[in-house]
Amino acid sequence: MTTHLTRVKARMSIHAHRKVRGLLEGEYASMHTGRSLDFNDLREYVRGDDVKDIDWKASARSRALLVKRYAAARKHTILLVASTGRSMAAMNDLDVPKRDLSVMVAGVVGYLAVRHGDRVGLAWGDAAVQHQLPAASGELNLENRLASIHDNTLPTSAPSDLLGLLDHVARTVRRRTILVVISDEYTIDRELSAMLRRLAVQHEVLFVSIGDLDPTSMEVNQRLVDIDSGQVIPEWARRDTRLRQEYASMLAGQADGMRRELDGLGIIHQTVHDDASAIRAVLKLLERHRHAGRR
């Protein structure tokens, strides 16, 4: 039963049919810029060829300068890297849990990938444990991975630990892969920056941030509890104009700092603030990735 994937398909058809259709036609960035690890044949060197492609041994045997040609890389391996710590079980707004946005983001990326013939894997975890499902093709396998994100993002989970999860990925994933990191992390310290830099050397890294519920929002009229500390957020916080302004300024500063850090690492990044923006954010992320691959 493809419950999660059915919801993803329905949202895609409602909000982004034309753009999705374009991506389904194969508008993917090539990870190998027209090359893959699959050797095709040899031909004589012509001016403009990359000297790195010269096969010196074959050239010596034939007494002509020969270059290797490679089959174009058309299929990709996608690894969804989803933080499932308890902060991701909190609400994004009054109606949508952050884990639902995480599933939506993973579902859109995964659905486009399987329709393209690519394989999709999943790594998920928190401060206590990390798990991984191997890359596989097909919608049934994708549904299994979406269910794993949903079912393991719980208020009873250990705290989120994106650094630990990425370290697990760095130690276990050797083949070049497109990593789609989904997290509610909004600050990047030195250790996390170093880990992302390490991963970006070997892999294509895309980063999606899931936004938090604004505790100073006037629209929130119910009891709010911080999911990590268990502390009740006082009701007066939602009536304090100055606090609301300071909170908004803090979020803007964090977002700007994170954007600069990820830009410096060459990592494409998008933020999902609510359910309505999830589809648009993911499509923009993939479009930016495609254009980056053409440069």
Side-chain angles (χ1 to χ4, degrees), residues 1-12 99-108 111 139-153 279:
M1 184 176 181
T2 58
T3 305
H4 300 293
L5 190 53
T6 298
R7 178 173 176 268
V8 170
K9 290 179 181 179
R11 298 291 289 179
M12 289 172 70
R99 74 173 181 181
D100 286 2
L101 292 182
S102 181
V103 170
M104 179 61 67
V105 169
V108 173
Y111 180 59
E139 293 188 5
L140 187 60
N141 286 311
L142 175 59
E143 173 65 22
N144 178 261
R145 282 139 185 77
L146 299 182
S148 294
I149 297 174
H150 182 274
D151 296 346
N152 289 283
T153 308
I279 303 291

PDB file of all heavy atoms in Angstrom, residues 1-12 99-108 111 139-153 279:
ATOM      1  N   MET A   1       0.845  -1.199   0.000  1.00  0.00           N
ATOM      2  CA  MET A   1       0.000   0.000   0.000  1.00  0.00           C
ATOM      3  C   MET A   1       0.882   1.250   0.000  1.00  0.00           C
ATOM      4  O   MET A   1       1.651   1.471   0.922  1.00  0.00           O
ATOM      5  CB  MET A   1      -0.915  -0.003   1.226  1.00  0.00           C
ATOM      6  CG  MET A   1      -1.889   1.160   1.268  1.00  0.00           C
ATOM      7  SD  MET A   1      -3.009   1.023   2.680  1.00  0.00           S
ATOM      8  CE  MET A   1      -4.002   2.478   2.411  1.00  0.00           C
ATOM      9  N   THR A   2       0.765   2.058  -1.047  1.00  0.00           N
ATOM     10  CA  THR A   2       1.661   3.205  -1.198  1.00  0.00           C
ATOM     11  C   THR A   2       1.010   4.474  -0.649  1.00  0.00           C
ATOM     12  O   THR A   2       0.721   5.415  -1.373  1.00  0.00           O
ATOM     13  CB  THR A   2       2.038   3.381  -2.672  1.00  0.00           C
ATOM     14  OG1 THR A   2       0.837   3.542  -3.428  1.00  0.00           O
ATOM     15  CG2 THR A   2       2.814   2.194  -3.187  1.00  0.00           C
ATOM     16  N   THR A   3       0.801   4.512   0.655  1.00  0.00           N
ATOM     17  CA  THR A   3       0.112   5.644   1.275  1.00  0.00           C
ATOM     18  C   THR A   3       0.878   6.939   1.119  1.00  0.00           C
ATOM     19  O   THR A   3       0.333   7.956   0.689  1.00  0.00           O
ATOM     20  CB  THR A   3      -0.123   5.351   2.768  1.00  0.00           C
ATOM     21  OG1 THR A   3      -0.818   4.116   2.892  1.00  0.00           O
ATOM     22  CG2 THR A   3      -0.919   6.471   3.414  1.00  0.00           C
ATOM     23  N   HIS A   4       2.149   6.928   1.493  1.00  0.00           N
ATOM     24  CA  HIS A   4       2.950   8.147   1.452  1.00  0.00           C
ATOM     25  C   HIS A   4       3.183   8.618   0.026  1.00  0.00           C
ATOM     26  O   HIS A   4       3.088   9.814  -0.270  1.00  0.00           O
ATOM     27  CB  HIS A   4       4.288   7.921   2.164  1.00  0.00           C
ATOM     28  CG  HIS A   4       4.149   7.536   3.597  1.00  0.00           C
ATOM     29  ND1 HIS A   4       3.649   8.389   4.553  1.00  0.00           N
ATOM     30  CD2 HIS A   4       4.418   6.365   4.242  1.00  0.00           C
ATOM     31  CE1 HIS A   4       3.635   7.780   5.731  1.00  0.00           C
ATOM     32  NE2 HIS A   4       4.096   6.554   5.558  1.00  0.00           N
ATOM     33  N   LEU A   5       3.510   7.702  -0.864  1.00  0.00           N
ATOM     34  CA  LEU A   5       3.787   8.070  -2.249  1.00  0.00           C
ATOM     35  C   LEU A   5       2.532   8.583  -2.944  1.00  0.00           C
ATOM     36  O   LEU A   5       2.608   9.497  -3.778  1.00  0.00           O
ATOM     37  CB  LEU A   5       4.360   6.869  -3.006  1.00  0.00           C
ATOM     38  CG  LEU A   5       4.921   7.150  -4.397  1.00  0.00           C
ATOM     39  CD1 LEU A   5       5.935   8.284  -4.360  1.00  0.00           C
ATOM     40  CD2 LEU A   5       5.550   5.894  -4.977  1.00  0.00           C
ATOM     41  N   THR A   6       1.371   8.041  -2.605  1.00  0.00           N
ATOM     42  CA  THR A   6       0.110   8.528  -3.171  1.00  0.00           C
ATOM     43  C   THR A   6      -0.117   9.987  -2.813  1.00  0.00           C
ATOM     44  O   THR A   6      -0.526  10.797  -3.649  1.00  0.00           O
ATOM     45  CB  THR A   6      -1.068   7.673  -2.668  1.00  0.00           C
ATOM     46  OG1 THR A   6      -0.892   6.328  -3.103  1.00  0.00           O
ATOM     47  CG2 THR A   6      -2.388   8.206  -3.196  1.00  0.00           C
ATOM     48  N   ARG A   7       0.168  10.352  -1.572  1.00  0.00           N
ATOM     49  CA  ARG A   7       0.025  11.746  -1.149  1.00  0.00           C
ATOM     50  C   ARG A   7       1.005  12.648  -1.898  1.00  0.00           C
ATOM     51  O   ARG A   7       0.657  13.755  -2.314  1.00  0.00           O
ATOM     52  CB  ARG A   7       0.261  11.856   0.358  1.00  0.00           C
ATOM     53  CG  ARG A   7       0.178  13.289   0.892  1.00  0.00           C
ATOM     54  CD  ARG A   7       0.257  13.311   2.412  1.00  0.00           C
ATOM     55  NE  ARG A   7       0.274  14.689   2.893  1.00  0.00           N
ATOM     56  CZ  ARG A   7       1.361  15.400   3.130  1.00  0.00           C
ATOM     57  NH1 ARG A   7       2.561  14.855   2.935  1.00  0.00           N
ATOM     58  NH2 ARG A   7       1.286  16.647   3.556  1.00  0.00           N
ATOM     59  N   VAL A   8       2.228  12.167  -2.076  1.00  0.00           N
ATOM     60  CA  VAL A   8       3.223  12.951  -2.812  1.00  0.00           C
ATOM     61  C   VAL A   8       2.749  13.196  -4.238  1.00  0.00           C
ATOM     62  O   VAL A   8       2.805  14.328  -4.743  1.00  0.00           O
ATOM     63  CB  VAL A   8       4.578  12.216  -2.813  1.00  0.00           C
ATOM     64  CG1 VAL A   8       5.550  12.889  -3.786  1.00  0.00           C
ATOM     65  CG2 VAL A   8       5.183  12.197  -1.413  1.00  0.00           C
ATOM     66  N   LYS A   9       2.275  12.164  -4.903  1.00  0.00           N
ATOM     67  CA  LYS A   9       1.808  12.304  -6.286  1.00  0.00           C
ATOM     68  C   LYS A   9       0.646  13.287  -6.380  1.00  0.00           C
ATOM     69  O   LYS A   9       0.575  14.104  -7.315  1.00  0.00           O
ATOM     70  CB  LYS A   9       1.379  10.943  -6.835  1.00  0.00           C
ATOM     71  CG  LYS A   9       2.507   9.965  -7.071  1.00  0.00           C
ATOM     72  CD  LYS A   9       1.919   8.652  -7.582  1.00  0.00           C
ATOM     73  CE  LYS A   9       2.987   7.607  -7.823  1.00  0.00           C
ATOM     74  NZ  LYS A   9       2.404   6.325  -8.302  1.00  0.00           N
ATOM     75  N   ALA A  10      -0.278  13.213  -5.424  1.00  0.00           N
ATOM     76  CA  ALA A  10      -1.434  14.099  -5.444  1.00  0.00           C
ATOM     77  C   ALA A  10      -1.008  15.559  -5.299  1.00  0.00           C
ATOM     78  O   ALA A  10      -1.497  16.436  -6.015  1.00  0.00           O
ATOM     79  CB  ALA A  10      -2.406  13.722  -4.326  1.00  0.00           C
ATOM     80  N   ARG A  11      -0.086  15.825  -4.380  1.00  0.00           N
ATOM     81  CA  ARG A  11       0.379  17.192  -4.176  1.00  0.00           C
ATOM     82  C   ARG A  11       1.146  17.698  -5.400  1.00  0.00           C
ATOM     83  O   ARG A  11       1.022  18.863  -5.775  1.00  0.00           O
ATOM     84  CB  ARG A  11       1.276  17.264  -2.940  1.00  0.00           C
ATOM     85  CG  ARG A  11       0.595  16.892  -1.635  1.00  0.00           C
ATOM     86  CD  ARG A  11      -0.412  17.910  -1.223  1.00  0.00           C
ATOM     87  NE  ARG A  11       0.224  19.150  -0.786  1.00  0.00           N
ATOM     88  CZ  ARG A  11      -0.451  20.227  -0.393  1.00  0.00           C
ATOM     89  NH1 ARG A  11      -1.764  20.224  -0.420  1.00  0.00           N
ATOM     90  NH2 ARG A  11       0.188  21.313   0.004  1.00  0.00           N
ATOM     91  N   MET A  12       1.923  16.841  -6.015  1.00  0.00           N
ATOM     92  CA  MET A  12       2.682  17.246  -7.198  1.00  0.00           C
ATOM     93  C   MET A  12       1.751  17.611  -8.346  1.00  0.00           C
ATOM     94  O   MET A  12       1.970  18.603  -9.047  1.00  0.00           O
ATOM     95  CB  MET A  12       3.631  16.131  -7.616  1.00  0.00           C
ATOM     96  CG  MET A  12       4.805  15.933  -6.667  1.00  0.00           C
ATOM     97  SD  MET A  12       5.791  14.477  -7.042  1.00  0.00           S
ATOM     98  CE  MET A  12       6.575  14.981  -8.565  1.00  0.00           C
ATOM     99  N   ARG A  99       7.805  16.059  10.302  1.00  0.00           N
ATOM    100  CA  ARG A  99       8.111  14.774   9.665  1.00  0.00           C
ATOM    101  C   ARG A  99       7.308  14.598   8.376  1.00  0.00           C
ATOM    102  O   ARG A  99       7.773  13.946   7.437  1.00  0.00           O
ATOM    103  CB  ARG A  99       7.854  13.616  10.625  1.00  0.00           C
ATOM    104  CG  ARG A  99       6.391  13.282  10.882  1.00  0.00           C
ATOM    105  CD  ARG A  99       6.267  12.019  11.696  1.00  0.00           C
ATOM    106  NE  ARG A  99       4.869  11.672  11.921  1.00  0.00           N
ATOM    107  CZ  ARG A  99       4.473  10.621  12.626  1.00  0.00           C
ATOM    108  NH1 ARG A  99       5.368   9.821  13.185  1.00  0.00           N
ATOM    109  NH2 ARG A  99       3.205  10.362  12.773  1.00  0.00           N
ATOM    110  N   ASP A 100       6.090  15.185   8.299  1.00  0.00           N
ATOM    111  CA  ASP A 100       5.316  15.094   7.062  1.00  0.00           C
ATOM    112  C   ASP A 100       5.988  15.883   5.945  1.00  0.00           C
ATOM    113  O   ASP A 100       5.969  15.473   4.782  1.00  0.00           O
ATOM    114  CB  ASP A 100       3.895  15.618   7.282  1.00  0.00           C
ATOM    115  CG  ASP A 100       3.036  14.647   8.078  1.00  0.00           C
ATOM    116  OD1 ASP A 100       3.562  13.583   8.487  1.00  0.00           O
ATOM    117  OD2 ASP A 100       1.844  14.942   8.302  1.00  0.00           O
ATOM    118  N   LEU A 101       6.585  17.023   6.301  1.00  0.00           N
ATOM    119  CA  LEU A 101       7.321  17.790   5.301  1.00  0.00           C
ATOM    120  C   LEU A 101       8.568  17.035   4.865  1.00  0.00           C
ATOM    121  O   LEU A 101       8.940  17.063   3.688  1.00  0.00           O
ATOM    122  CB  LEU A 101       7.703  19.159   5.870  1.00  0.00           C
ATOM    123  CG  LEU A 101       6.561  20.135   6.136  1.00  0.00           C
ATOM    124  CD1 LEU A 101       7.116  21.454   6.645  1.00  0.00           C
ATOM    125  CD2 LEU A 101       5.721  20.356   4.892  1.00  0.00           C
ATOM    126  N   SER A 102       9.214  16.371   5.807  1.00  0.00           N
ATOM    127  CA  SER A 102      10.390  15.573   5.469  1.00  0.00           C
ATOM    128  C   SER A 102      10.021  14.458   4.490  1.00  0.00           C
ATOM    129  O   SER A 102      10.733  14.217   3.504  1.00  0.00           O
ATOM    130  CB  SER A 102      10.987  14.972   6.748  1.00  0.00           C
ATOM    131  OG  SER A 102      12.138  14.212   6.463  1.00  0.00           O
ATOM    132  N   VAL A 103       8.909  13.793   4.750  1.00  0.00           N
ATOM    133  CA  VAL A 103       8.437  12.736   3.847  1.00  0.00           C
ATOM    134  C   VAL A 103       8.083  13.317   2.487  1.00  0.00           C
ATOM    135  O   VAL A 103       8.372  12.717   1.440  1.00  0.00           O
ATOM    136  CB  VAL A 103       7.222  12.006   4.461  1.00  0.00           C
ATOM    137  CG1 VAL A 103       6.571  11.080   3.443  1.00  0.00           C
ATOM    138  CG2 VAL A 103       7.644  11.207   5.694  1.00  0.00           C
ATOM    139  N   MET A 104       7.457  14.504   2.473  1.00  0.00           N
ATOM    140  CA  MET A 104       7.090  15.121   1.201  1.00  0.00           C
ATOM    141  C   MET A 104       8.326  15.455   0.378  1.00  0.00           C
ATOM    142  O   MET A 104       8.391  15.175  -0.823  1.00  0.00           O
ATOM    143  CB  MET A 104       6.264  16.380   1.462  1.00  0.00           C
ATOM    144  CG  MET A 104       5.848  17.137   0.211  1.00  0.00           C
ATOM    145  SD  MET A 104       4.793  16.161  -0.912  1.00  0.00           S
ATOM    146  CE  MET A 104       3.312  16.010   0.095  1.00  0.00           C
ATOM    147  N   VAL A 105       9.315  16.060   1.015  1.00  0.00           N
ATOM    148  CA  VAL A 105      10.556  16.404   0.308  1.00  0.00           C
ATOM    149  C   VAL A 105      11.217  15.141  -0.243  1.00  0.00           C
ATOM    150  O   VAL A 105      11.599  15.078  -1.418  1.00  0.00           O
ATOM    151  CB  VAL A 105      11.518  17.156   1.250  1.00  0.00           C
ATOM    152  CG1 VAL A 105      12.907  17.270   0.626  1.00  0.00           C
ATOM    153  CG2 VAL A 105      10.974  18.536   1.584  1.00  0.00           C
ATOM    154  N   ALA A 106      11.362  14.128   0.615  1.00  0.00           N
ATOM    155  CA  ALA A 106      11.973  12.870   0.177  1.00  0.00           C
ATOM    156  C   ALA A 106      11.154  12.215  -0.926  1.00  0.00           C
ATOM    157  O   ALA A 106      11.704  11.642  -1.876  1.00  0.00           O
ATOM    158  CB  ALA A 106      12.115  11.925   1.370  1.00  0.00           C
ATOM    159  N   GLY A 107       9.836  12.317  -0.801  1.00  0.00           N
ATOM    160  CA  GLY A 107       8.958  11.695  -1.788  1.00  0.00           C
ATOM    161  C   GLY A 107       9.054  12.340  -3.155  1.00  0.00           C
ATOM    162  O   GLY A 107       9.059  11.645  -4.185  1.00  0.00           O
ATOM    163  N   VAL A 108       9.124  13.664  -3.200  1.00  0.00           N
ATOM    164  CA  VAL A 108       9.227  14.354  -4.491  1.00  0.00           C
ATOM    165  C   VAL A 108      10.546  14.002  -5.180  1.00  0.00           C
ATOM    166  O   VAL A 108      10.571  13.636  -6.361  1.00  0.00           O
ATOM    167  CB  VAL A 108       9.108  15.877  -4.302  1.00  0.00           C
ATOM    168  CG1 VAL A 108       9.383  16.597  -5.624  1.00  0.00           C
ATOM    169  CG2 VAL A 108       7.727  16.251  -3.793  1.00  0.00           C
ATOM    170  N   TYR A 111      10.409  10.235  -6.135  1.00  0.00           N
ATOM    171  CA  TYR A 111       9.484   9.916  -7.228  1.00  0.00           C
ATOM    172  C   TYR A 111      10.051  10.340  -8.577  1.00  0.00           C
ATOM    173  O   TYR A 111       9.984   9.599  -9.562  1.00  0.00           O
ATOM    174  CB  TYR A 111       8.144  10.594  -6.983  1.00  0.00           C
ATOM    175  CG  TYR A 111       7.122  10.334  -8.060  1.00  0.00           C
ATOM    176  CD1 TYR A 111       6.728   9.022  -8.369  1.00  0.00           C
ATOM    177  CD2 TYR A 111       6.547  11.378  -8.771  1.00  0.00           C
ATOM    178  CE1 TYR A 111       5.792   8.780  -9.366  1.00  0.00           C
ATOM    179  CE2 TYR A 111       5.613  11.143  -9.771  1.00  0.00           C
ATOM    180  CZ  TYR A 111       5.240   9.839 -10.060  1.00  0.00           C
ATOM    181  OH  TYR A 111       4.317   9.604 -11.040  1.00  0.00           O
ATOM    182  N   GLU A 139       8.726   2.085  -7.349  1.00  0.00           N
ATOM    183  CA  GLU A 139       7.887   2.830  -6.410  1.00  0.00           C
ATOM    184  C   GLU A 139       7.669   2.089  -5.090  1.00  0.00           C
ATOM    185  O   GLU A 139       7.543   2.724  -4.049  1.00  0.00           O
ATOM    186  CB  GLU A 139       6.541   3.154  -7.060  1.00  0.00           C
ATOM    187  CG  GLU A 139       6.650   4.134  -8.220  1.00  0.00           C
ATOM    188  CD  GLU A 139       5.298   4.583  -8.727  1.00  0.00           C
ATOM    189  OE1 GLU A 139       4.262   4.213  -8.126  1.00  0.00           O
ATOM    190  OE2 GLU A 139       5.259   5.325  -9.742  1.00  0.00           O
ATOM    191  N   LEU A 140       7.618   0.768  -5.136  1.00  0.00           N
ATOM    192  CA  LEU A 140       7.402   0.017  -3.904  1.00  0.00           C
ATOM    193  C   LEU A 140       8.573   0.204  -2.948  1.00  0.00           C
ATOM    194  O   LEU A 140       8.385   0.397  -1.739  1.00  0.00           O
ATOM    195  CB  LEU A 140       7.207  -1.472  -4.214  1.00  0.00           C
ATOM    196  CG  LEU A 140       6.809  -2.357  -3.026  1.00  0.00           C
ATOM    197  CD1 LEU A 140       5.490  -1.881  -2.427  1.00  0.00           C
ATOM    198  CD2 LEU A 140       6.693  -3.809  -3.462  1.00  0.00           C
ATOM    199  N   ASN A 141       9.781   0.183  -3.477  1.00  0.00           N
ATOM    200  CA  ASN A 141      10.961   0.418  -2.640  1.00  0.00           C
ATOM    201  C   ASN A 141      10.981   1.853  -2.116  1.00  0.00           C
ATOM    202  O   ASN A 141      11.363   2.096  -0.965  1.00  0.00           O
ATOM    203  CB  ASN A 141      12.238   0.131  -3.433  1.00  0.00           C
ATOM    204  CG  ASN A 141      12.480  -1.352  -3.625  1.00  0.00           C
ATOM    205  OD1 ASN A 141      12.419  -2.118  -2.683  1.00  0.00           O
ATOM    206  ND2 ASN A 141      12.747  -1.758  -4.853  1.00  0.00           N
ATOM    207  N   LEU A 142      10.563   2.795  -2.948  1.00  0.00           N
ATOM    208  CA  LEU A 142      10.502   4.186  -2.495  1.00  0.00           C
ATOM    209  C   LEU A 142       9.496   4.337  -1.362  1.00  0.00           C
ATOM    210  O   LEU A 142       9.770   5.011  -0.365  1.00  0.00           O
ATOM    211  CB  LEU A 142      10.135   5.098  -3.660  1.00  0.00           C
ATOM    212  CG  LEU A 142       9.920   6.576  -3.304  1.00  0.00           C
ATOM    213  CD1 LEU A 142      11.168   7.177  -2.666  1.00  0.00           C
ATOM    214  CD2 LEU A 142       9.504   7.373  -4.535  1.00  0.00           C
ATOM    215  N   GLU A 143       8.342   3.720  -1.488  1.00  0.00           N
ATOM    216  CA  GLU A 143       7.338   3.791  -0.416  1.00  0.00           C
ATOM    217  C   GLU A 143       7.890   3.245   0.894  1.00  0.00           C
ATOM    218  O   GLU A 143       7.655   3.815   1.965  1.00  0.00           O
ATOM    219  CB  GLU A 143       6.098   2.990  -0.829  1.00  0.00           C
ATOM    220  CG  GLU A 143       5.039   2.844   0.261  1.00  0.00           C
ATOM    221  CD  GLU A 143       4.399   4.166   0.668  1.00  0.00           C
ATOM    222  OE1 GLU A 143       4.436   5.119  -0.138  1.00  0.00           O
ATOM    223  OE2 GLU A 143       3.873   4.244   1.789  1.00  0.00           O
ATOM    224  N   ASN A 144       8.656   2.175   0.802  1.00  0.00           N
ATOM    225  CA  ASN A 144       9.274   1.600   1.995  1.00  0.00           C
ATOM    226  C   ASN A 144      10.222   2.599   2.653  1.00  0.00           C
ATOM    227  O   ASN A 144      10.275   2.699   3.894  1.00  0.00           O
ATOM    228  CB  ASN A 144      10.023   0.321   1.611  1.00  0.00           C
ATOM    229  CG  ASN A 144      10.724  -0.318   2.778  1.00  0.00           C
ATOM    230  OD1 ASN A 144      11.931  -0.147   2.962  1.00  0.00           O
ATOM    231  ND2 ASN A 144       9.993  -1.054   3.598  1.00  0.00           N
ATOM    232  N   ARG A 145      10.944   3.359   1.866  1.00  0.00           N
ATOM    233  CA  ARG A 145      11.870   4.338   2.417  1.00  0.00           C
ATOM    234  C   ARG A 145      11.136   5.543   3.008  1.00  0.00           C
ATOM    235  O   ARG A 145      11.543   6.063   4.047  1.00  0.00           O
ATOM    236  CB  ARG A 145      12.863   4.770   1.320  1.00  0.00           C
ATOM    237  CG  ARG A 145      13.961   3.718   1.112  1.00  0.00           C
ATOM    238  CD  ARG A 145      14.320   3.475  -0.346  1.00  0.00           C
ATOM    239  NE  ARG A 145      15.275   2.376  -0.458  1.00  0.00           N
ATOM    240  CZ  ARG A 145      14.955   1.079  -0.355  1.00  0.00           C
ATOM    241  NH1 ARG A 145      13.707   0.719  -0.130  1.00  0.00           N
ATOM    242  NH2 ARG A 145      15.886   0.147  -0.468  1.00  0.00           N
ATOM    243  N   LEU A 146      10.055   5.961   2.379  1.00  0.00           N
ATOM    244  CA  LEU A 146       9.264   7.050   2.941  1.00  0.00           C
ATOM    245  C   LEU A 146       8.626   6.630   4.267  1.00  0.00           C
ATOM    246  O   LEU A 146       8.570   7.416   5.224  1.00  0.00           O
ATOM    247  CB  LEU A 146       8.179   7.479   1.951  1.00  0.00           C
ATOM    248  CG  LEU A 146       8.658   8.015   0.595  1.00  0.00           C
ATOM    249  CD1 LEU A 146       7.467   8.447  -0.240  1.00  0.00           C
ATOM    250  CD2 LEU A 146       9.641   9.157   0.761  1.00  0.00           C
ATOM    251  N   ALA A 147       8.159   5.388   4.331  1.00  0.00           N
ATOM    252  CA  ALA A 147       7.569   4.882   5.568  1.00  0.00           C
ATOM    253  C   ALA A 147       8.609   4.823   6.687  1.00  0.00           C
ATOM    254  O   ALA A 147       8.290   5.070   7.857  1.00  0.00           O
ATOM    255  CB  ALA A 147       6.959   3.503   5.335  1.00  0.00           C
ATOM    256  N   SER A 148       9.843   4.509   6.337  1.00  0.00           N
ATOM    257  CA  SER A 148      10.906   4.454   7.342  1.00  0.00           C
ATOM    258  C   SER A 148      11.162   5.837   7.948  1.00  0.00           C
ATOM    259  O   SER A 148      11.390   5.967   9.153  1.00  0.00           O
ATOM    260  CB  SER A 148      12.195   3.913   6.722  1.00  0.00           C
ATOM    261  OG  SER A 148      12.038   2.561   6.334  1.00  0.00           O
ATOM    262  N   ILE A 149      11.124   6.876   7.119  1.00  0.00           N
ATOM    263  CA  ILE A 149      11.281   8.232   7.644  1.00  0.00           C
ATOM    264  C   ILE A 149      10.125   8.563   8.581  1.00  0.00           C
ATOM    265  O   ILE A 149      10.322   9.039   9.703  1.00  0.00           O
ATOM    266  CB  ILE A 149      11.337   9.261   6.496  1.00  0.00           C
ATOM    267  CG1 ILE A 149      12.562   9.017   5.609  1.00  0.00           C
ATOM    268  CG2 ILE A 149      11.354  10.685   7.048  1.00  0.00           C
ATOM    269  CD1 ILE A 149      12.605   9.899   4.368  1.00  0.00           C
ATOM    270  N   HIS A 150       8.910   8.317   8.119  1.00  0.00           N
ATOM    271  CA  HIS A 150       7.715   8.660   8.893  1.00  0.00           C
ATOM    272  C   HIS A 150       7.652   7.897  10.205  1.00  0.00           C
ATOM    273  O   HIS A 150       7.451   8.476  11.276  1.00  0.00           O
ATOM    274  CB  HIS A 150       6.469   8.372   8.052  1.00  0.00           C
ATOM    275  CG  HIS A 150       5.185   8.740   8.720  1.00  0.00           C
ATOM    276  ND1 HIS A 150       4.526   7.879   9.591  1.00  0.00           N
ATOM    277  CD2 HIS A 150       4.437   9.876   8.671  1.00  0.00           C
ATOM    278  CE1 HIS A 150       3.432   8.460  10.027  1.00  0.00           C
ATOM    279  NE2 HIS A 150       3.347   9.671   9.499  1.00  0.00           N
ATOM    280  N   ASP A 151       7.868   6.593  10.150  1.00  0.00           N
ATOM    281  CA  ASP A 151       7.653   5.743  11.319  1.00  0.00           C
ATOM    282  C   ASP A 151       8.753   5.869  12.368  1.00  0.00           C
ATOM    283  O   ASP A 151       8.563   5.484  13.528  1.00  0.00           O
ATOM    284  CB  ASP A 151       7.534   4.278  10.890  1.00  0.00           C
ATOM    285  CG  ASP A 151       6.318   4.026  10.005  1.00  0.00           C
ATOM    286  OD1 ASP A 151       5.433   4.912   9.951  1.00  0.00           O
ATOM    287  OD2 ASP A 151       6.265   2.972   9.348  1.00  0.00           O
ATOM    288  N   ASN A 152       9.908   6.401  11.976  1.00  0.00           N
ATOM    289  CA  ASN A 152      11.028   6.512  12.925  1.00  0.00           C
ATOM    290  C   ASN A 152      11.253   7.936  13.416  1.00  0.00           C
ATOM    291  O   ASN A 152      12.198   8.177  14.170  1.00  0.00           O
ATOM    292  CB  ASN A 152      12.304   5.974  12.271  1.00  0.00           C
ATOM    293  CG  ASN A 152      12.271   4.466  12.102  1.00  0.00           C
ATOM    294  OD1 ASN A 152      12.468   3.716  13.055  1.00  0.00           O
ATOM    295  ND2 ASN A 152      12.006   4.020  10.884  1.00  0.00           N
ATOM    296  N   THR A 153      10.399   8.855  13.001  1.00  0.00           N
ATOM    297  CA  THR A 153      10.483  10.231  13.504  1.00  0.00           C
ATOM    298  C   THR A 153       9.427  10.392  14.586  1.00  0.00           C
ATOM    299  O   THR A 153       8.255  10.643  14.292  1.00  0.00           O
ATOM    300  CB  THR A 153      10.263  11.256  12.369  1.00  0.00           C
ATOM    301  OG1 THR A 153      11.144  10.949  11.277  1.00  0.00           O
ATOM    302  CG2 THR A 153      10.526  12.658  12.845  1.00  0.00           C
ATOM    303  N   ILE A 279       6.758  21.504  -2.450  1.00  0.00           N
ATOM    304  CA  ILE A 279       6.947  21.086  -3.840  1.00  0.00           C
ATOM    305  C   ILE A 279       7.794  22.107  -4.589  1.00  0.00           C
ATOM    306  O   ILE A 279       8.762  21.761  -5.269  1.00  0.00           O
ATOM    307  CB  ILE A 279       5.596  20.915  -4.553  1.00  0.00           C
ATOM    308  CG1 ILE A 279       4.713  19.912  -3.811  1.00  0.00           C
ATOM    309  CG2 ILE A 279       5.811  20.484  -6.002  1.00  0.00           C
ATOM    310  CD1 ILE A 279       5.200  18.502  -3.865  1.00  0.00           C
TER     311      ILE A 279
END
